[in-house]
Amino acid sequence: MIDLHTHSTVSDGSDPPERVVELAVEAGCSALALTDHDSLAGVGPARHRAAELGITLVSGCEVSCLPVGPGGMHVLVYFVEEDGGPLAEELGRLRRDRRRRNLALADRLIALGLPVTYDRVAALAGGEEGMGRPHFAAALVEVGAAESIDDAFARYLGNDGPAYVAKARLTGPDIAALARESDGVAVLAHPYSMGLEGPDLARVVGGLAESGFGGIEAVYGRYSPRQRTELGHLARRFDLVATGGSDHHGTSKPDLSVGTGQGDLKVPDKVVGLLEARRPSR
Ligand code: AMP
Ligand code: FE
Ligand code: FE
Ligand code: ZN
């Protein structure tokens, strides 16, 4: 089995890249993709550890796109390296804009009278790199302004919340084009997060396939067997690779383990080869 969706301390995960690789080996995975938000910085260290332990490391990242429905759209991109051209350069721009957004968000919290500082949030995030709303949520919990991470989003940080500040985002087709220019493959992450179902979901997935997507994340840590089956049908219908992964983050999502998700995840080894065959150079 394999896991094509994991996060490390490079973004909002709690395990260093090397540790995520070790967890994949312990779970019995033959291949692992590290897919930190907006960054490929963990891929090098993870690949080094993967070579030592004899497991395949697939480079990856996860990018939040402009939504097309009531929920958010996340895209996973595979096979792009840190020095890998147009997509990597765009990730640099997105990270700089994330920093601008984080500074504005901190100002918003101060204006709301909440005792949370930018520096404290950066400390909780282990540095400014990869810092985001989940770390602001942890800081709000720490000072007692929220009961839990989810409560912090519900009260302040969610997309309709008083502390919400937007950050720059591209469309799904933009990401697919950048991925292809970088010899990578774009995959729609956790499709139900978009808040669409039935014909609406199918229409959007069909459009993304048309725009150059190579896969759809059908086997996701938190999806039911029925949902995984429906997404598998969509993958076949639009000639997309049905991929899968846990979305392991460590302590912030303790129910999602590398390789096994909530215990019932099993993504077949062959998916790596199927996905690689979608690279423009193949
Ligand atoms: P950011 O990229 O800094 O805007 O933060 C986005 C991250 O916040 C996502 O990856 C989610 O893990 C988390 N997130 C977004 N909305 C919620 C929510 N309503 N409840 C809990 N976590 C959320
Ligand atoms: Fe995350
Ligand atoms: Fe995501
Ligand atoms: Zn993720």
Side-chain angles (χ1 to χ4, degrees):
M1 68 185 202
I2 61 173
D3 190 335
L4 294 178
H5 190 162
T6 63
H7 297 264
S8 76
T9 46
V10 163
S11 61
D12 57 348
S14 61
D15 298 305
E18 295 89 341
R19 180 65 193 143
V20 180
V21 173
E22 290 162 10
L23 290 169
V25 171
E26 285 166 23
C29 292
S30 65
L32 166 78
L34 188 69
T35 54
D36 277 304
H37 298 284
D38 302 341
S39 179
L40 293 157
V43 170
R47 174 161 293 131
H48 186 83
R49 189 70 184 124
E52 288 173 350
L53 297 177
I55 168 178
T56 301
L57 194 282
V58 176
S59 61
C61 60
E62 182 173 25
V63 188
S64 304
C65 296
L66 281 168
V68 294
M73 185 200 280
H74 290 185
V75 176
L76 295 158
V77 179
Y78 298 105
F79 309 115
V80 176
E81 303 297 324
E82 216 181 348
D83 55 1
L87 179 79
E89 286 165 28
E90 185 57 40
L91 293 179
R93 280 190 285 275
L94 291 173
R95 285 196 301 273
R96 285 191 290 282
D97 189 71
R98 169 182 287 279
R99 181 166 189 279
R100 173 202 61 79
R101 190 284 310 260
N102 287 342
L103 288 162
L105 206 170
D107 287 345
R108 221 32 110 71
L109 293 178
I110 301 276
L112 287 164
L114 296 161
V116 166
T117 64
Y118 183 87
D119 288 346
R120 180 58 194 150
V121 178
L124 288 173
E128 290 182 272
E129 195 71 24
M131 172 174 166
R133 282 186 289 164
H135 307 109
F136 280 92
L140 286 164
V141 173
E142 185 181 64
V143 299
E147 282 168 20
S148 64
I149 300 285
D150 281 347
D151 186 43
F153 274 89
R155 284 173 194 258
Y156 304 109
L157 301 169
N159 295 7
D160 307 317
Y164 179 72
V165 183
K167 61 184 200 294
R169 279 177 295 182
L170 302 177
T171 67
D174 289 338
I175 295 294
L178 287 164
R180 291 182 66 79
E181 285 168 37
S182 312
D183 199 26
V185 181
V187 170
L188 178 63
H190 39 72
Y192 290 113
S193 298
M194 297 191 298
L196 301 172
E197 282 181 64
D200 292 328
L201 180 62
R203 184 177 41 77
V204 169
V205 170
L208 293 174
E210 193 81 15
S211 77
F213 273 63
I216 176 171
E217 192 173 53
V219 186
Y220 181 67
R222 284 180 176 156
Y223 288 170
S224 68
R226 195 193 59 74
Q227 289 176 309
R228 294 176 188 181
T229 303
E230 188 191 359
L231 294 173
H233 287 313
L234 284 178
R236 269 194 294 286
R237 179 169 160 196
F238 296 111
D239 188 30
L240 294 165
V241 179
T243 73
S246 64
D247 209 1
H248 170 86
H249 278 70
T251 50
S252 72
K253 297 182 184 179
D255 58 319
L256 298 174
S257 300
V258 177
T260 54
Q262 294 184 327
D264 61 349
L265 201 69
K266 202 160 198 303
V267 183
D269 291 12
K270 66 167 194 261
V271 174
V272 176
L274 293 172
L275 208 52
E276 192 144 31
R278 300 298 178 109
R279 295 180 73 173
S281 64
R282 299 301 156 107

